[in-house]
């Protein structure tokens, strides 16, 4: 697509073909910032590219910011959790706003994030940092004492998460002190949280000029397995409260622009608990689901709201009306093999023949023995569904958990 | 199919027609996305197209729908960056592997490529790279080669690896056959069988299977073959109803009873009928074996008639009467009929007159097979007859048809070549090897004075024990392969190509100790090509070597190229003869251990296996063309004469072939500059 030199020049931090494709088809100039293994590919396909290895920030970190500045780049967009603080550092130079770097650090550390949220008057569960296994046992006991459990009652579980990893990576659920022994030492330090019984959901909110311009609610059918958009009417009824929560979050974290991706629980009495927030595109291909139902490209949406040269009119014209403009419900399910030994991929007939079934990204098994899942693990691929009825879609997604895709 | 009560309560599954319509909407959407994507993003859009296409093709009428979309699919970039993007180079025999794959995407893309070619063949899609005729040709070959898909249900193995997917290739081939017509397939298949049989391979099982397929086809009233299939009669009858007394394929026992009541002239009639069919096709009917055993009790005259011997063979039979009778008794059974053909050709070769051969055959007759050898033979060839009889059949066939040895689907061309060379040139040595391998489970050869035992050598070139081999190869190749690899290991650290030392030690004293190679081993670049060629002409071309015919078979190395003249790999062959062919073109006749020598090496170089003066099993090329694929040859260093004074024109033609094929990216910088200079001048 022809590029408009009057609009912003955007750097994409990290390698994502979907993002590159979106940028290619958008009217803004862009450059991909990625490790050197991407160079050959970019040359071959004529993709604008700057080589950079995203390791820990160090003395040389200013180099990339200055390179981009000299190129005339206006803003950098993080595509992955690992590039969030890089974007913060780079944008504080490009936009001449040193506060952005501090903000990005806050968004990278789950413990700091929770404290900040708490300070901002946002409800969070009980949480604590753990440096070793003893800390975990102590926390498990204390949480369950708080809940007035007697010895012998089944414990409420606690959740362990790495400070700085995306989504379900390193996420464990612990119920008994025995299970603590299964945690490898190298996973410490971790963040511990009490378990909240409730309805977990995520939000993708595009923010421009300090205001929400599009707010999507993603409904989890089962955490780590399945999600669909837009949310069912039962969850959408909380939209006013959810919007209020997000506005509070934006204020607390001082977010002027960009895409935020927070997670919440809503408990049975309608109270919202903040889980965490990420300053990058969500996993689980929620962007693709949004494009299936709303027709807009969510990467382009992010480029738009990050771009300091974007006008309010352009932003307004870009986004559709939430829920009303969706032409159905789209969801996806992450497949984990259920058997210990598998020989091939076979999509169950009932799935393939279902009118809601769209496509899948499963690949034949590379090994016959399935590695035992520690923590939440990684799924083997996604299956996509789309249909008219949110309840049927939800039940369908739930039902996938009982099926074998690898036999 | 288990329906979950919750999921399908709202909607009933739509009828099949609607299902296809619904899928096609999704497919067209997916094709559109692929079409719109930039090249780098296309791989990401492929999965959805392939998966939806798979589901479409599983529906009734789905293949037709895909055929109609063939052009749109290709334009959208479905084949981009894959071998299927250049359909003119596709090889029909590779379809089988792709269609049997456990990976759904391989099956689907192969199927879509066939449907695309169908659209081209039908004239609905004008393709820039392949003509309708070529497409038609390709499809008929692919179908002939995959006839099992048209007429057979999925085997256990297919079901295990492919599951429901196994149905897809069948639906595809039914659609192809309906559009192209069954008659084309059968005729093509018949031509293909004759082409293979003219090379007289030792292993005829695959050919027999194809012939059986045709017989089944002919017998099925539901299949209208039209005027086609005429040429199949000789093939089918050579196996199932060769003579008057077994015309209707009555079964072995009834045929044996009929023989009992035949008089001399009736037996004579049977004998000559079988002999004619056998020498015509190279295939032997199980009934023939019954007759042979019956005739042992009658006259040698009838026996010679039934083997179809000339006066040479008859002499040999009469000279070694006891031995031949013993060979028939121990080696010719209805389950080992090919032994008769091997026996016939062995007698015709007169090799029994070489003093060690007859006693070595007696040793073979009494040979005790090791446990391991018996197991291998039963595993690979079944236990319809004893392993010893199976091996004897193999020995007779190899001695009768030295050029019919094939390497199977294994990287053991060197070992196959050695066996063939010994059977051709040194038959008692071969028999010695068989005895060591089959009886002792060990072969010892010497390399520069040092013994090498196959038992102590760790590994061969082949990582797995080969199974798809004739009986002799089955037992001997594992030993040879390990010894060959060990000889190679002992050359580690020497400068240059190890074949210089390994070939003569491995094959026999007659392999020339002189050695030339035109590739620099370190860089892979061409090296001294012109001198190499002049020397090759001087050593082998009758016009330049004093009209000296080639005496012993010589090992040589070639660079094999595909039909697009792209380099595939290095390969071992044997140079057998250099003669003028019937058209007065100087030709090299050679042995290729590959199972089918009829190959298209690209750039107009097509290896011929019949029609240019080839003997059974020989491959041939005009001298220039063979020279253009040669990279290693041996010569007698004492006979090294002047470099041949070939004309620059002829040399340039050969070098042109090299540079347009495997040598394209091996031209050293200096050569390139020189040739640019010539072009510029």
């Amino acid at each position: 697509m022809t590029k408009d030199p009057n609009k912003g020049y955007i750097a994409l931090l990290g390698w994502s073909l979907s993002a590159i494709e979106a940028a290619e088809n958008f009217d803004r100039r862009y450059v991909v910032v990625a490790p050197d293994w991407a160079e050959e590919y970019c040359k071959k396909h004529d993709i604008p590219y700057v080589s950079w290895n995203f390791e820990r920030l160090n003395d040389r970190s200013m180099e990339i910011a200055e390179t981009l500045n000299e190129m005339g780049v206006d803003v950098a967009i993080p595509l992955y959790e690992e590039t969030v603080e890089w974007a913060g550092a780079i944008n504080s130079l490009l936009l001449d706003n040193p506060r952005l770097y501090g903000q990005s650090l806050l968004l990278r550390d789950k413990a700091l994030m929770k404290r900040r949220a708490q300070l901002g008057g946002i409800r969070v569960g009980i949480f604590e940092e753990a440096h070793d296994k003893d800390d975990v046992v102590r926390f498990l006991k204390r949480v369950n004492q708080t809940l007035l459990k007697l010895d012998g009652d089944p414990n409420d579980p606690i959740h362990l998460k790495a400070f700085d990893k995306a989504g379900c990576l390193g996420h464990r659920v612990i119920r008994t002190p025995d299970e603590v022994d299964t945690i490898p030492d190298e996973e410490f330090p971790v963040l511990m949280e009490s378990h909240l019984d409730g309805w977990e959901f995520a939000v993708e909110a595009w923010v421009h000029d300090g205001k929400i311009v599009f707010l999507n609610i993603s409904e989890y059918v089962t955490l780590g397995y399945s999600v669909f958009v837009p949310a069912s009417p039962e969850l959408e009824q909380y939209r006013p409260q959810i919007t209020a929560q997000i506005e509070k979050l934006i204020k607390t974290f001082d977010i002027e622009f960009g895409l935020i991706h927070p997670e919440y629980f809503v408990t049975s009495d309608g109270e919202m608990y903040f889980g965490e927030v990420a300053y990058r595109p969500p996993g689980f291909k929620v962007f693709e689901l949004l494009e299936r139902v709303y027709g807009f490209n969510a990467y382009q949406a992010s480029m738009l709201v990050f771009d300091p040269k974007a006008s309010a009119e352009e932003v307004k014209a870009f986004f559709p009306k939430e829920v009303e403009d969706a032409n159905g419900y789209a969801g996806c399910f992450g497949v984990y093999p259920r058997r210990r030994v598998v020989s091939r991929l076979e999509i169950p007939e009932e799935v393939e023949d279902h009118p809601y079934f769209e496509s899948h990204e499963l690949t034949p098994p590379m090994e016959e023995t399935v590695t035992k899942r520690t923590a939440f693990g990684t799924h083997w691929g996604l299956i996509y569904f789309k249909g008219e009825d949110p309840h049927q879609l939800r039940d369908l997604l739930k039902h996938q958990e009982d099926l074998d895709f690898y036999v | 199919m288990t329906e979950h009560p919750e999921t399908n309560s709202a909607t009933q599954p739509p009828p099949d027609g609607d299902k296809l319509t619904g899928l096609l909407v999704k497919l067209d959407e997916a094709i559109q996305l692929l079409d719109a994507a930039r090249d780098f993003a296309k791989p990401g859009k492929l999965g959805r197209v392939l998966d939806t296409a798979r589901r479409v093709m599983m529906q009734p009428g789905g293949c037709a729908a895909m055929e109609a979309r063939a052009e749109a699919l290709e334009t959208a970039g479905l084949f981009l960056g894959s071998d299927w993007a250049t359909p003119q180079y596709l090889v029909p025999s590779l379809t089988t592997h792709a269609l049997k794959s456990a990976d759904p995407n391989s099956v689907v893309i192969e199927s879509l490529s066939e449907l695309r070619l169908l659209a081209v063949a039908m004239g609905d899609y004008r393709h820039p790279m392949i003509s309708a005729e070529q497409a038609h040709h390709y499809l008929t070959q692919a179908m002939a080669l995959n006839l099992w898909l048209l007429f057979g249900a999925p085997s256990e193995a297919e079901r295990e690896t492919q599951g429901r997917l196994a149905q897809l290739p069948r639906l595809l081939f039914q659609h192809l056959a309906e559009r192209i017509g069954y008659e084309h397939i059968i005729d093509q298949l018949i031509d293909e069988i004759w082409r293979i049989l003219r090379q007289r391979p030792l292993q005829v099982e695959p050919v027999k299977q194809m012939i059986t397929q045709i017989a089944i086809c002919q017998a099925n009233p539901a299949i209208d073959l039209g005027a086609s299939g005429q040429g199949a009669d000789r093939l089918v009858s050579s196996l199932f109803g060769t003579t008057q007394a077994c015309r209707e394929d009555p079964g072995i026992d009834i045929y044996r009873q009929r023989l009992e009541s035949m008089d001399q002239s009736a037996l004579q009639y049977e004998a000559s009928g079988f002999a004619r069919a056998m020498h015509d096709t190279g295939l032997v009917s199980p009934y023939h074996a019954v007759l042979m055993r019956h005739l042992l009790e009658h006259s040698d005259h009838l026996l010679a008639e039934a083997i179809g011997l000339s006066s040479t063979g008859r002499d040999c039979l009469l000279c070694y009467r006891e031995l031949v009778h013993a060979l028939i008794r121990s080696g010719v059974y209805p389950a080992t009929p090919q032994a008769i053909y091997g026996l016939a050709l062995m007698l015709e070769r007169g090799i029994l007159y070489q003093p060690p051969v007859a006693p070595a055959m007696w040793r073979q007759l009494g040979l005790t097979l090791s446990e391991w050898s018996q197991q291998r033979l039963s595993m690979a060839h079944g236990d319809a007859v004893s392993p010893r009889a199976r091996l004897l059949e193999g020995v007779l066939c190899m001695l009768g048809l030295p050029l019919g040895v094939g390497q199977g689907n294994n990287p053991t061309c060197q070992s196959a070549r050695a066996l063939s060379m010994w059977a051709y040139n040194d038959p008692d040595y071969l028999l010695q090897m068989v005895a060591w391998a089959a009886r002792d489970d060990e072969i010892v050869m010497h390399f520069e004075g040092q013994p090498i035992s196959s038992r102590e050598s760790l590994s061969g070139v082949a990582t797995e024990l080969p199974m798809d081999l004739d009986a002799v190869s089955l037992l001997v190749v594992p030993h040879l392969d390990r010894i060959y690899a060990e000889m190679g290991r002992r050359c580690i650290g020497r400068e240059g190509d190890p074949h210089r030392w390994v070939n003569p030690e491995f094959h026999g004293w007659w392999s020339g100790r002189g050695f030339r190679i035109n590739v620099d081993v370190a860089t892979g670049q061409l090296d001294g090509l012109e001198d190499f060629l002049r020397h090759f002409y001087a050593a082998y071309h009758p016009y330049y070597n004093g009209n000296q015919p080639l005496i012993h078979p010589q090992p040589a190395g070639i660079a094999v190229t595909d039909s697009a003249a792209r380099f595939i790999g290095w390969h071992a062959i044997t140079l057998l003869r250099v003669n003028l062919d019937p058209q007065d073109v100087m030709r090299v006749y050679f042995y290729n251990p590959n199972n089918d020598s009829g190959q298209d090496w690209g750039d107009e170089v097509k290896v011929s296996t019949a029609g240019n003066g080839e003997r059974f099993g020989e491959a041939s090329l005009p001298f220039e063309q063979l020279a253009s694929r040669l990279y290693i040859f041996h010569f007698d260093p004492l006979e090294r004469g002047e470099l041949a004074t070939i004309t620059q024109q002829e040399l340039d033609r050969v070098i042109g072939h090299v540079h347009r094929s495997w040598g394209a990216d091996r031209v050293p910088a200096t050569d390139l500059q020189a040739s640019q200079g010539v072009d510029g001048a």
Side-chain angles (χ1 to χ4, degrees):
Chain A
M1 191 182 233
T2 44
K3 306 293 177 187
D4 186 341
N6 296 320
K7 294 182 174 175
Y9 185 0
I10 284 155
L12 300 173
L13 302 188
W15 182 256
S16 156
L17 268 186
S18 311
I20 296 170
E21 199 191 351
E24 193 60 49
N25 297 325
F26 203 39
D27 61 357
R28 283 159 166 81
R29 290 163 295 156
Y30 76 101
V31 59
V32 175
V33 183
D36 43 18
W37 47 254
E39 181 160 359
E40 202 186 321
Y41 188 89
C42 290
K43 256 192 197 141
K44 191 173 155 206
H45 296 285
D46 230 355
I47 297 169
Y49 165 80
V50 171
S51 166
W52 191 256
N53 290 315
F54 299 102
E55 283 144 20
R56 289 275 164 200
L57 287 170
N58 58 30
D59 300 345
R60 287 186 55 227
S61 302
M62 275 304 278
E63 255 179 53
I64 182 65
E66 276 157 5
T67 308
L68 294 175
N69 199 17
E70 279 161 27
M71 289 167 67
V73 170
D74 293 302
V75 72
I77 302 182
L79 296 180
Y80 296 101
E81 191 65 28
E82 290 74 11
T83 54
V84 167
E85 76 258 35
W86 283 94
I90 292 168
N91 285 338
S92 56
L93 179 88
L94 296 182
L95 300 171
D96 194 19
N97 182 353
R99 213 170 28 78
L100 289 175
Y101 178 54
Q103 180 196 57
S104 72
L105 290 182
L106 209 54
L107 293 164
R108 268 290 270 155
D109 185 304
K110 285 179 188 170
L112 286 178
M113 185 192 299
K114 290 229 171 193
R115 286 193 209 294
R116 178 62 170 252
Q118 221 170 15
L119 289 173
I122 296 170
R123 289 191 82 138
V124 296
I126 307 173
F127 68 95
E128 219 171 87
E129 287 140 63
H131 295 277
D132 55 34
K133 291 178 185 175
D134 290 343
D135 288 347
V136 181
V137 176
R138 212 175 307 123
F139 184 73
L140 180 68
K141 283 205 174 124
R142 243 202 7 247
V143 165
N144 279 288
Q145 275 167 359
T146 322
L147 294 168
L148 299 177
K149 297 260 165 131
L150 300 173
D151 269 353
D153 279 354
N155 278 338
D156 254 31
I158 59 166
H159 296 260
L160 266 57
K161 290 174 184 172
F163 282 132
D164 58 353
K165 286 194 183 130
C168 289
L169 285 173
H171 181 175
R172 289 169 180 278
V173 180
I174 300 287
R175 283 188 175 76
T176 67
D178 301 346
E179 287 170 8
V180 176
D181 287 335
T182 63
I183 311 168
D185 286 331
E186 60 271 20
E187 286 196 10
F188 288 96
V190 293
L191 177 74
M192 302 176 289
E193 292 170 278
S194 59
H195 177 75
L196 289 168
D197 256 337
W199 202 349
E200 187 165 10
F201 62 91
V203 167
E204 287 76 31
W206 279 270
V207 180
H208 187 248
D209 218 1
K211 285 187 282 295
I212 301 170
V213 287
F214 188 88
L215 187 150
N216 171 65
I217 305 170
S218 294
E219 181 163 342
Y220 291 135
V221 180
T222 303
L223 183 64
Y225 279 95
S226 40
V227 66
F228 69 93
V229 302
S232 63
E234 290 75 20
L235 185 53
E236 279 291 344
Q237 67 172 339
Y238 293 109
R239 178 172 277 272
Q241 289 100 305
I242 292 171
T243 308
Q245 284 291 327
I246 304 295
E247 279 163 351
K248 216 181 215 177
L249 194 67
I250 290 173
K251 201 159 153 250
T252 307
F253 285 87
D254 210 359
I255 293 166
E256 274 294 303
F257 59 85
L259 162 73
I260 55 169
H261 165 55
E263 284 176 338
Y264 287 91
F265 284 93
V266 51
T267 52
S268 46
D269 53 2
E271 197 64 65
M272 307 269 171
Y273 285 87
F274 170 73
E276 61 188 60
V277 59
Y279 197 57
R280 53 154 173 89
F284 244 73
K285 300 285 173 91
V286 170
F287 273 17
E288 307 218 343
L289 300 180
L290 286 171
E291 187 163 5
R292 289 295 295 144
V293 292
Y294 287 111
F296 75 86
N297 184 298
Y299 283 106
Q300 292 175 356
S302 299
M303 292 173 71
L304 185 62
V305 294
F306 266 96
D307 180 3
K309 293 183 178 166
S311 69
E313 293 73 42
E314 194 189 3
V315 172
K316 191 163 183 290
F318 184 89
F319 288 102
K321 178 86 194 97
E322 291 101 334
V323 190
E324 275 174 36
D325 288 347
N327 65 3
Y329 293 84
C332 62
F333 174 79
V335 172
Y336 298 89
R338 292 172 2 124
R339 304 184 183 186
R340 285 289 285 141
V341 176
V342 295
S343 58
R344 65 167 192 276
L345 161 70
E346 183 153 313
I347 315 269
E349 235 166 304
E350 58 169 301
V351 176
E352 266 186 17
D353 290 347
H354 198 282
Y356 280 16
F357 175 73
E358 288 250 296
S359 60
H360 74 82
E361 292 173 352
L362 300 174
T363 50
M366 306 298 278
E367 285 171 12
E368 294 212 328
T369 316
V370 178
T371 330
K372 200 154 174 261
R373 271 169 79 189
T374 59
F376 264 72
T378 321
H379 57 76
W380 282 27
L382 295 172
I383 324 177
Y384 295 91
F385 298 93
K386 190 188 172 195
E388 294 298 314
D389 184 287
H391 301 116
Q392 203 188 337
L393 179 63
R394 183 190 61 207
D395 294 343
L396 184 63
L397 287 168
K398 186 81 193 157
H399 175 56
Q400 303 304 308
E401 293 168 28
D402 301 329
L403 302 176
D404 279 315
F405 291 81
Y406 288 93
V407 293
Chain B
M1 178 171 138
T2 53
E3 298 270 271
H4 195 270
E6 283 173 340
T7 54
N8 276 336
S9 52
T11 47
Q12 289 299 315
D16 279 354
D18 284 1
K19 204 184 216 173
L20 180 61
T21 320
L23 280 171
L24 286 174
V25 172
K26 289 182 178 167
L27 176 72
D28 290 337
E29 208 173 51
I31 297 175
Q32 213 278 319
L33 282 175
L34 177 68
D35 193 38
R38 287 224 349 192
D39 280 3
F40 72 82
K42 283 189 194 294
K45 318 283 176 199
L46 266 182
R48 198 160 145 203
V49 175
L50 291 176
D51 191 56
T52 318
R54 176 182 58 82
R55 286 150 64 203
V56 166
M57 285 190 282
M58 300 286 273
Q59 299 298 321
C63 287
M66 295 312 304
E67 184 192 338
R69 285 164 177 75
E71 187 166 1
L73 277 167
E74 184 157 14
T75 320
L78 182 75
F79 302 116
L80 211 69
S82 73
D83 284 350
W84 290 280
T86 46
Q88 68 272 36
Y89 301 137
L90 290 178
V91 180
S93 56
L94 294 182
T95 53
T96 311
H97 184 72
L99 292 172
K100 275 186 178 173
S101 168
D103 172 19
N105 286 345
S106 303
V107 178
V108 170
I109 200 160
E110 179 65 41
S111 303
L112 291 177
S113 172
E114 317 288 6
L115 288 168
R116 175 246 333 234
L117 289 171
L118 179 61
V120 174
M122 292 291 157
D124 301 329
Y125 173 14
R126 194 180 287 275
H127 199 284
M129 284 174 270
I130 188 167
S131 69
E133 291 73 24
Q134 280 173 297
H136 198 276
H137 191 62
Y138 172 91
L139 283 176
T140 48
Q141 284 189 47
M143 281 197 281
L145 288 164
N146 295 292
L147 219 57
W148 50 279
L149 282 171
L150 267 180
F151 305 116
S155 70
E156 192 52 46
E158 285 171 70
R159 274 195 300 273
E160 192 48 45
T161 52
Q162 290 191 311
R164 262 183 300 133
L165 188 64
Q167 214 48 47
L168 201 157
R170 286 174 170 75
L171 292 168
L172 168 75
F173 272 72
Q174 268 160 29
H175 179 70
L176 291 178
E178 276 158 25
R179 299 277 282 151
I180 295 242
Y182 283 91
E183 66 277 8
H184 288 285
I185 312 167
I186 299 290
D187 283 346
Q188 185 72 36
L189 178 56
I190 292 165
D191 288 350
E192 179 69 12
I193 292 173
W194 278 113
R195 193 183 64 76
I196 294 168
L197 283 178
R198 270 193 289 269
Q199 302 176 49
R200 291 296 192 269
L202 288 191
Q203 288 195 282
V204 290
E205 213 39 56
V207 168
K208 284 185 176 177
Q209 275 166 16
M210 286 197 271
I211 295 172
T212 310
Q213 292 277 7
I214 297 178
I216 293 169
C217 233
Q218 285 179 324
N220 184 348
I223 299 171
D224 178 19
L225 294 179
S228 74
Q230 308 284 3
D233 286 353
R234 169 90 283 194
L235 294 171
V236 175
S237 71
S238 74
L239 288 178
F240 301 110
T242 322
T243 58
Q244 203 57 51
C246 61
R247 175 68 62 216
E248 83 285 18
D249 195 9
I252 300 290
D253 292 330
I254 294 178
Y255 181 67
R256 194 178 289 126
Q257 284 166 21
R258 286 181 189 168
L259 287 179
E260 298 294 341
S261 55
M262 279 188 200
D263 62 8
Q264 186 78 8
S265 64
L267 285 173
Q268 167 94 37
Y269 192 71
E270 286 295 298
S272 53
F274 278 122
R276 224 177 11 252
M278 175 175 83
H279 286 286
D280 227 20
T281 61
L283 297 173
V284 192
S285 164
Y287 294 114
H288 196 169
V290 178
L291 176 73
M292 291 288 287
R293 296 186 78 85
H294 181 76
L295 291 181
L296 282 175
E297 314 303 326
H298 283 72
S299 71
D300 287 341
H301 165 73
L302 278 180
L303 208 53
E305 191 73 33
I307 311 178
L309 293 176
S310 72
S311 57
T312 313
R314 193 186 313 264
D315 265 359
C316 201
L317 166 71
L318 295 173
C319 250
Y320 294 91
R321 181 175 181 277
E322 284 304 310
L323 176 61
V324 174
H325 276 244
L327 288 172
I328 294 172
R329 255 189 216 103
S330 308
V332 176
Y333 293 95
T336 58
Q338 291 300 126
I340 305 169
Y341 189 51
L343 175 68
L345 297 182
M346 183 188 77
L347 291 173
E348 292 291 351
R349 289 184 64 204
I351 54 173
L352 287 181
Y353 292 120
Q354 296 178 28
V357 175
M361 288 307 283
W362 281 111
R363 174 184 55 194
Q364 187 67 41
L365 278 163
L367 199 69
T368 311
L369 270 55
S370 72
E371 191 65 28
W372 164 249
S373 303
Q374 297 193 23
Q375 270 180 16
R376 293 262 297 155
L377 285 166
S378 308
M379 227 171 0
H381 295 283
D383 44 15
V385 291
S386 68
R388 190 194 290 182
R390 185 62 73 191
L391 181 60
L392 191 56
E393 177 196 37
V395 167
L396 289 171
C397 286
M398 193 172 281
L399 289 176
L401 290 159
L403 306 182
V405 182
Q407 68 192 79
N409 198 12
N410 314 293
T412 50
C413 54
Q414 298 275 349
S415 302
R417 175 173 70 176
L419 284 173
S420 155
M421 208 182 274
W422 298 331
Y424 184 82
N425 191 51
D426 203 357
D428 55 298
Y429 184 69
L430 173 71
L431 289 167
Q432 184 65 58
M433 287 289 169
V434 174
W436 280 334
R439 183 189 59 202
D440 310 329
D441 290 334
E442 179 177 23
I443 287 179
V444 177
M445 287 171 79
H446 287 75
F447 183 71
E448 297 172 350
Q450 302 295 312
I452 294 178
S453 157
S454 61
R455 221 183 257 177
E456 285 155 23
S457 304
L458 290 172
S459 57
V461 180
T463 46
E464 284 169 37
L465 269 184
M467 290 305 283
D468 52 341
L469 295 175
D470 65 272
V472 172
S473 302
L474 190 72
L475 297 188
V476 187
V477 164
H479 296 282
L480 294 183
D481 186 38
R482 284 198 290 271
I483 292 174
Y484 169 74
E486 179 61 30
M487 287 184 177
R489 280 192 282 271
R490 297 204 182 177
C491 292
I492 290 175
R494 297 188 192 182
E495 201 173 308
D497 190 285
H499 294 105
R500 172 191 298 266
W501 304 280
V502 173
N503 276 345
E505 296 275 347
F506 188 66
H507 292 92
W509 65 267
W510 58 85
S511 309
R513 295 268 164 182
F515 178 85
R516 278 213 81 138
I517 181 167
N518 59 15
V519 174
D520 179 65
V521 178
T523 62
Q525 297 285 298
L526 285 169
D527 183 23
L529 181 57
E530 227 170 86
D531 270 7
F532 174 90
L533 289 171
R534 285 185 193 280
H535 194 173
F536 180 60
Y537 271 75
Y540 286 86
H541 196 300
Y543 290 172
Y544 302 97
N545 72 356
N547 205 16
Q548 171 60 59
L550 188 52
I551 300 170
H552 291 103
Q554 288 296 336
I558 50 168
V560 179
T561 48
D562 66 7
S563 56
R566 291 173 298 201
F567 177 71
I568 296 176
W570 311 113
H571 189 56
I573 61 164
T574 311
L575 301 175
L576 298 169
R577 302 186 287 133
V578 182
N579 292 144
L580 286 175
D581 72 6
Q583 280 77 44
D584 275 343
V585 174
M586 190 58 76
R587 261 182 189 271
V588 181
Y589 298 88
F590 59 98
Y591 161 76
N592 184 342
N594 204 299
N595 314 295
D596 180 359
S597 306
Q599 295 165 352
D600 183 349
W601 288 348
D603 191 28
E604 309 286 293
V605 178
K606 282 200 177 105
V607 182
S608 155
T609 54
N612 287 303
E614 293 89 353
R615 297 170 189 162
F616 290 144
E618 280 181 341
S620 85
L621 277 177
F623 197 93
E624 286 179 15
Q625 296 188 1
L626 189 278
S628 77
R629 293 297 189 277
L630 194 74
Y631 86 104
I632 278 178
F633 69 90
H634 291 261
F635 61 94
D636 180 349
L638 298 182
E639 279 184 17
R640 181 180 174 171
E642 292 297 301
L643 291 185
T645 49
I646 350 166
T647 64
Q648 192 61 40
Q649 243 178 342
E650 182 160 5
L651 205 57
D652 285 346
R653 278 201 302 273
V654 178
I655 292 175
H657 275 302
V658 176
H659 286 183
R660 283 193 302 276
S661 60
W662 63 283
D665 48 4
R666 297 172 183 277
V667 184
T670 48
D671 273 23
L672 198 67
Q673 279 160 3
S675 68
Q676 275 169 350
V678 171
D679 286 349

